[in-house]
Amino acid sequence: MILGRFLAGGLKSPVILISMLVILGIGVLVPVLNLAVPPSSPFHVADHLVPLYGKYLCYGMAALALDLVWGYCGILSLGHGAFFALGGYAMGMHLMREIGTRGVYGDPILPDFMVFLNWKELPWFWYGFDSFLFACLMVMLVPGLLAFIFGWFAFRSRVTGVYLSIITQAMTYALLLAFFRNDMGFGGNNGLTDFKDVLGYDLQSGQVRSALFFLTAFFLALNLLIAAAITGSKYGKILRAVRDAEARTRFLGYRPENIKLFAWVVSAVMAGIAGALYVPQVGIINPGEFAPANSIEMVVWTAVGGRGTLVGPIGGAVLVNAAKSWFTGVLPEYWLFALGGLFILTTLFLPEGVAGLIRKAFGRRAKAPKGKDEETDQPVADATAGE
Amino acid sequence: MTEIPVKIPAEPKSAPKAPPKHAPVPSARKDTLLYLDGVSRSFDGFKAINELSFVLMKGEMRAIIGPNGAGKTTMMDIITGKTRPDKGDVFFMGDVDLTKHDEPTIAQMGIGRKFQKPTVFETQTVADNLLLSLKGERRGIPALFYRSNKPDRQRIDEILEVIRLERRRNELAAFLSHGQKQWLEIGMLLAQDPKLLLVDEPVAGMTDAETEETARLLRDIAVDHSVVVVEHDMGFVRDLGVKVTCLHEGHVLSEGSLDHVSADPQVIEVYLGR
Ligand SMILES: Nc1ncnc2c1ncn2[C@@H]1O[C@H](COP(=O)(O)OP(=O)(O)O)[C@@H](O)[C@H]1O
Ligand SMILES: [Mg+2]
């Protein structure tokens, strides 16, 4: 009830409501165009495109998560890929255990890579992952807990700005190295793959593909609503106050470390959910997902879409990744240059991203703070009388 | 909650009785609001605060003057928990040892501070700046479920009236003039309803008209708050009409009425020697 009221707060902005409807609409439309429209029709969506679009939506969710901390709290995380990957691994572990005796070695308990390594027993941290619900819990809990511990220490020691960005990057890099090791028990270099089904349904079937796509759209819309409710509440105002003048908020009696910690953990959980939906659609999770470059790409999506707008970064992720798919088809060697160029151009000419551009086009330009030199420096009396 | 009187009081409050000038005895701490004794703090060997003793009684308003670098801001940093003293006692309300608490705790105990450089939340509206400052809940999660309510709105309206920013309530704070930002920050102090207000150079960069208005505003506030104002502007200090403490090299040089302090040969030397 109180939660319902809280979520309703997210709908105050019509932009959020419309965006949610669009996302849910896409969530229904793509499966329909794939399953119900005959392949001969020009409107048919080919089978291989459904998981590709699903992947874009997962990236959109990761960008939304990043925007919550970067746009509203000023934490430029260069390690959000870690939360995404951890959520992915948690889901991957469940899918591995669902393979059962259908693996190459036919072991009912141990995944193939463990048999290959001559392991006799399942490591303790793989317990419970045979349960889908347990795995879903871990999808949120593991990234959330890592974020909590990381944020607890980092924010308490008042690490901010570039230094904070660097340690987030170090965090994902450390995890990359750890997950590469075979004896970590996560499949090493190859990661987790060869998934067969989820909840007993074949992952290769058209219906499951469509269901996963719809679920991704659904969770994206839900997370957008949650993020909008958070940023639209009084807490969101405190969050922005901390972003703009952290020291000042302390003298008002706020504890910025705790304020930031909440948004940081929520953001990590969202990124984890995105990763968990990503894995069954792409069919693999490996340590490459922890690569620093992945986290940096998330920053580019967010910047291109429009930092601090929630909806913008989702669009940014979809746009940039669609461009990436196209580019890697025609000019694969140049993609990284294009990405870097895009980031520079956005930073220089579109500080508010595509969302800012659209806002301007619709004439609803938000009153952004002007430069100091433009301020009217009139006496109080004159300034108020003149209105 | 205390009301803010909009009327100008006939006479500004004077200190109940003169506190001992240097090294006050602990028994004298009982009725004090703020009690600093033998406080020192150095930065890289430079003594910014040097054996400073300073007492403020409940309900008192005090002006602190002193040349640049005298340690006025550092003294406020020590009181608000931003800087820890190397040695000395800092007590609030007689028995709360401020050296043992951090900034948010001290703020919640009732010490509000206005910074030398106005710091308001520029990307938020004037009204929201006040909302964020309103006394009360300071944890994040309850703020998720906060609902705008009548008492809060009324309080914000009252403060907007006092700081003369009613018409700009829904504008972003970034659009205010320098003087208006200073006023908004004073309003934020009022919203906190603190027991003690520390106001650092409130009229720096203000026009004469604004300076006069600010003196009026602070006198109003002093009717039911204890206030420490740091200021260079002698005309402004005269307008306040309160007891003055002159700081120099981290130490109290002279204390008393403005006439007394400005006649003090040591003070004259410091100001003319600059
Ligand atoms: N955090 C700090 N680190 C180093 N020096 C400081 C610090 N804070 C204050 N000081 C020094 O202490 C002296 C007193 O400064 P301050 O209290 O700001 O003076 P005032 O406010 O009276 O002009 C100055 O010389 C200043 O450089
Ligand atoms: Mg100063």
Side-chain angles (χ1 to χ4, degrees):
Chain A
M1 188 183 60
I2 187 161
L3 213 63
R5 234 172 36 187
F6 161 69
L7 288 179
L11 294 175
K12 270 185 293 194
S13 151
V15 175
I16 299 296
L17 181 65
I18 294 168
S19 305
M20 283 177 65
L21 291 176
V22 168
I23 292 167
L24 289 173
I26 292 172
V28 172
L29 192 67
V30 168
V32 166
L33 294 183
N34 172 241
L35 295 174
V37 175
S40 52
S41 158
F43 296 107
H44 176 74
V45 172
D47 286 354
H48 73 278
L49 289 178
V50 178
L52 180 70
Y53 294 165
K55 197 169 91 169
Y56 293 168
L57 294 189
C58 291
Y59 288 152
M61 209 184 300
L64 171 71
L66 181 65
D67 194 34
L68 188 59
V69 290
W70 186 30
Y72 292 85
C73 192
I75 304 171
L76 171 53
S77 169
L78 295 179
H80 253 51
F83 304 128
F84 183 87
L86 285 173
Y89 265 96
M91 183 51 72
M93 284 161 83
H94 171 69
L95 298 177
M96 280 312 259
R97 300 227 32 203
E98 272 223 25
I99 298 173
T101 54
R102 287 167 296 174
V104 177
Y105 298 103
D107 192 298
I109 305 283
L110 296 187
D112 278 348
F113 75 89
M114 291 188 194
V115 181
F116 184 76
L117 290 172
N118 248 326
W119 290 12
K120 298 289 171 243
E121 265 176 62
L122 198 67
W124 63 268
F125 48 83
W126 276 75
Y127 291 170
F129 278 96
D130 49 329
S131 150
F132 180 72
L133 279 182
F134 179 84
C136 288
L137 201 66
M138 288 300 132
V139 159
M140 299 190 279
L141 211 63
V142 173
L145 198 68
L146 173 68
F148 184 85
I149 295 169
F150 180 94
W152 176 276
F153 287 107
F155 302 153
R156 211 146 291 254
S157 2
R158 302 193 182 178
V159 183
T160 55
V162 183
Y163 301 98
L164 186 58
S165 299
I166 290 171
I167 58 171
T168 56
Q169 177 101 97
M171 171 187 77
T172 195
Y173 191 63
L175 285 167
L176 169 78
L177 296 180
F179 273 73
F180 257 126
R181 295 158 49 101
N182 278 328
D183 52 7
M184 270 288 281
F186 295 106
N189 192 11
N190 298 321
L192 310 175
T193 187
D194 290 334
F195 311 130
K196 304 285 187 241
D197 48 30
V198 59
L199 292 172
Y201 297 104
D202 184 4
L203 276 170
Q204 302 306 318
S205 78
Q207 282 87 347
V208 170
R209 255 199 315 262
S210 289
L212 280 170
F213 182 85
F214 174 76
L215 272 178
T216 309
F218 174 79
F219 274 101
L220 179 57
L222 182 67
N223 282 342
L224 176 60
L225 177 63
I226 292 172
I230 289 175
T231 54
S233 71
K234 185 180 172 194
Y235 169 81
K237 292 177 179 156
I238 303 172
L239 199 60
R240 275 179 289 145
V242 167
R243 175 193 68 189
D244 295 339
E246 177 167 341
R248 185 72 184 85
T249 61
R250 282 201 188 92
F251 295 97
L252 286 176
Y254 292 104
R255 296 200 170 276
E257 59 273 23
N258 295 351
I259 301 293
K260 289 197 272 190
L261 192 59
F262 176 77
W264 176 248
V265 170
V266 169
S267 168
V269 171
M270 278 185 190
I273 295 173
L277 287 160
Y278 170 87
V279 167
Q281 299 188 76
V282 300
I284 184 169
I285 174 85
N286 62 31
E289 296 296 335
F290 286 106
N294 282 30
S295 298
I296 293 170
E297 274 193 46
M298 288 179 188
V299 172
V300 180
W301 307 335
T302 309
V304 168
R307 179 188 166 202
T309 60
L310 297 181
V311 176
I314 297 175
V318 173
L319 274 178
V320 175
N321 281 291
K324 183 180 184 175
S325 297
W326 178 79
F327 236 100
T328 42
V330 284
L331 292 165
E333 313 89 88
Y334 295 106
W335 167 243
L336 279 180
F337 293 103
L339 187 70
L342 188 64
F343 186 55
I344 293 170
L345 287 178
T346 312
T347 317
L348 289 180
F349 302 110
L350 286 179
E352 290 169 65
V354 174
L357 199 66
I358 293 174
R359 224 180 248 168
K360 230 181 261 177
F362 279 82
R364 290 200 315 104
R365 200 179 164 194
K367 284 182 186 170
K370 286 192 277 184
K372 284 251 185 297
D373 46 333
E374 292 175 66
E375 279 168 17
T376 49
D377 233 317
Q378 292 168 308
V380 184
D382 291 0
T384 42
E387 280 171 2
Chain B
M1 196 172 272
T2 44
E3 294 281 336
I4 300 166
V6 186
K7 322 156 273 326
I8 298 173
E11 274 289 73
K13 257 193 184 171
S14 57
K17 75 174 192 287
K21 202 168 173 182
H22 293 294
V25 284
S27 64
R29 234 165 60 193
K30 280 282 163 283
D31 299 321
T32 65
L33 185 67
L34 192 62
Y35 176 99
L36 277 72
D37 186 27
V39 177
S40 294
R41 167 74 207 219
S42 38
F43 295 107
D44 308 319
F46 170 76
K47 285 195 169 174
I49 296 288
N50 187 10
E51 289 292 329
L52 175 69
S53 297
F54 177 87
V55 171
L56 186 80
M57 305 308 285
K58 288 184 180 132
E60 186 182 349
M61 174 158 171
R62 180 78 60 90
I64 296 184
I65 59 170
N68 266 327
K72 305 179 297 289
T73 301
T74 308
M75 176 180 147
M76 292 196 167
D77 288 345
I78 288 173
I79 297 167
T80 53
K82 188 178 177 211
T83 300
R84 297 258 174 260
D86 298 329
K87 67 183 209 52
D89 294 336
V90 185
F91 284 93
F92 180 52
M93 311 223 295
D95 56 358
V96 182
D97 185 349
L98 291 179
T99 62
K100 298 218 160 27
H101 298 283
D102 64 356
E103 301 103 307
T105 315
I106 291 173
Q108 286 175 24
M109 277 190 242
I111 298 185
R113 175 170 186 186
K114 198 206 87 61
F115 287 81
Q116 193 167 338
K117 179 179 167 288
T119 358
V120 295
F121 303 120
E122 307 228 337
T123 62
Q124 308 204 42
T125 64
V126 170
D128 279 347
N129 269 271
L130 294 175
L131 173 68
L132 288 172
S133 313
L134 278 186
K135 185 180 187 166
E137 183 61 68
R138 285 295 188 258
R139 288 169 304 162
I141 291 174
L144 284 170
F145 305 102
Y146 171 85
R147 291 180 74 78
S148 176
N149 56 66
K150 205 160 174 222
D152 283 0
R153 281 196 302 268
Q154 272 176 355
R155 182 76 189 135
I156 290 172
D157 287 342
E158 278 169 25
I159 295 169
L160 283 171
E161 199 184 323
V162 172
I163 59 174
R164 307 265 162 101
L165 290 175
E166 303 108 302
R167 294 182 183 206
R168 317 206 55 169
R169 63 176 303 147
N170 293 322
E171 270 181 66
L172 295 186
F175 293 139
L176 297 182
S177 72
H178 174 78
Q180 288 170 327
K181 282 182 191 168
Q182 299 267 34
W183 279 51
L184 175 57
E185 212 184 351
I186 294 174
M188 289 163 75
L189 264 183
L190 283 174
Q192 285 173 264
D193 191 24
K195 297 188 181 74
L196 170 64
L197 289 82
L198 304 175
V199 188
D200 203 351
E201 305 203 13
V203 300
M206 276 191 181
T207 62
D208 287 350
E210 286 173 326
T211 302
E212 255 170 57
E213 280 291 286
T214 308
R216 175 198 63 84
L217 178 60
L218 285 175
R219 277 198 313 261
D220 282 0
I221 292 168
V223 171
D224 47 13
H225 292 89
S226 307
V227 186
V228 175
V229 191
V230 163
E231 194 45 72
H232 280 301
D233 187 324
M234 284 301 172
F236 173 79
V237 172
R238 190 167 293 283
D239 272 359
L240 290 179
V242 296
K243 186 170 163 181
V244 175
T245 298
C246 177
L247 235 57
H248 177 57
E249 294 178 347
H251 197 79
V252 174
L253 196 63
S254 181
E255 202 163 69
S257 70
L258 182 60
D259 291 332
H260 168 82
V261 170
S262 42
D264 190 322
Q266 277 183 295
V267 175
I268 294 171
E269 195 192 316
V270 165
Y271 269 92
L272 295 181
R274 272 198 301 155

